[in-house]
Amino acid sequence: MKKERLILCLLIISSIFFEFFRDYIFINLNLQLNFLHYESLGFNTTNYTDTNVLILVGYLTSSSILFLKWGLTLLFAIIFFFHGLFFIRILWPNDMYFEFKKAYIFGGIVIVFLSGIFYLLYFFMNKNSNIYAVAIELSHFVQSILYPITFILAFYANNRIKN
């Protein structure tokens, strides 16, 4: 039991770390993109990108940073997906784990699919910023700790009601 509690504590700490690390990385990548955009327009602007991130991405072009952001989006979505599976593997017996896993995977695929649809709608509807905001929020949901927490709580509550 102590080993399980230690693992759960480490999962919680690593989830919090990845949540803040993701935010830090993406904010600084967006600051660098903003700087490159205004610099390309000929403005004399200040680069507010954190020095630690600037060392890594200061030589990249805007398109390279956008490509990097897509890769990091996928990476963080996978990280939080597996955090949810690890939490449940420790907390619940096998039969509940496999039942949860099906709903969790299906729910994640639906959310990513909806995000993609809204992203495509954004391009086809003359780049309506409201549609883009929906796509981004859905994308942010699956690449944060909210995704596993929401599914774990909903699944737990559903099983409590059944029993």
Side-chain angles (χ1 to χ4, degrees):
M1 190 63 169
K2 284 186 178 186
K3 181 181 177 184
E4 290 173 347
R5 286 186 182 188
L6 176 64
I7 292 171
L8 284 174
C9 285
L10 290 174
L11 278 170
I12 290 168
I13 290 168
S14 68
S15 294
I16 292 169
F17 167 79
F18 281 117
E19 188 76 34
F20 283 102
F21 183 67
R22 183 211 163 278
D23 199 43
Y24 168 77
I25 293 294
F26 277 87
I27 286 172
N28 280 286
L29 289 176
N30 288 334
L31 288 170
Q32 180 66 11
L33 283 171
N34 193 23
F35 171 75
L36 291 173
H37 172 72
Y38 285 111
E39 187 181 55
S40 72
L41 295 175
F43 292 113
N44 185 12
T45 184
T46 303
N47 191 349
Y48 292 104
T49 308
D50 189 291
T51 309
N52 295 320
V53 176
L54 192 57
I55 291 170
L56 299 172
V57 300
Y59 63 93
L60 296 177
T61 64
S62 294
S63 58
S64 298
I65 293 174
L66 289 172
F67 185 74
L68 176 64
K69 283 179 65 176
W70 277 102
L72 289 172
T73 296
L74 179 63
L75 174 68
F76 282 107
I78 290 169
I79 287 170
F80 286 111
F81 173 78
F82 281 108
H83 269 83
L85 289 180
F86 291 147
F87 270 110
I88 297 312
R89 191 72 179 137
I90 293 168
L91 292 175
W92 292 338
N94 280 343
D95 58 335
M96 286 180 70
Y97 170 75
F98 291 116
E99 188 179 336
F100 171 81
K101 191 172 156 182
K102 286 188 284 187
Y104 186 60
I105 292 170
F106 179 74
I109 290 170
V110 167
I111 293 167
V112 169
F113 180 73
L114 286 174
S115 176
I117 286 175
F118 279 104
Y119 192 69
L120 289 173
L121 284 173
Y122 163 72
F123 284 108
F124 292 122
M125 296 185 76
N126 298 324
K127 299 197 175 189
N128 182 330
S129 62
N130 294 328
I131 293 174
Y132 183 72
V134 173
I136 287 297
E137 287 306 315
L138 288 171
S139 171
H140 287 174
F141 181 72
V142 294
Q143 53 180 318
S144 76
I145 194 63
L146 291 175
Y147 170 54
I149 286 174
T150 303
F151 273 81
I152 290 168
L153 291 175
F155 190 80
Y156 178 74
N158 183 48
N159 281 330
R160 291 285 299 213
I161 291 170
K162 283 181 184 177
N163 297 331

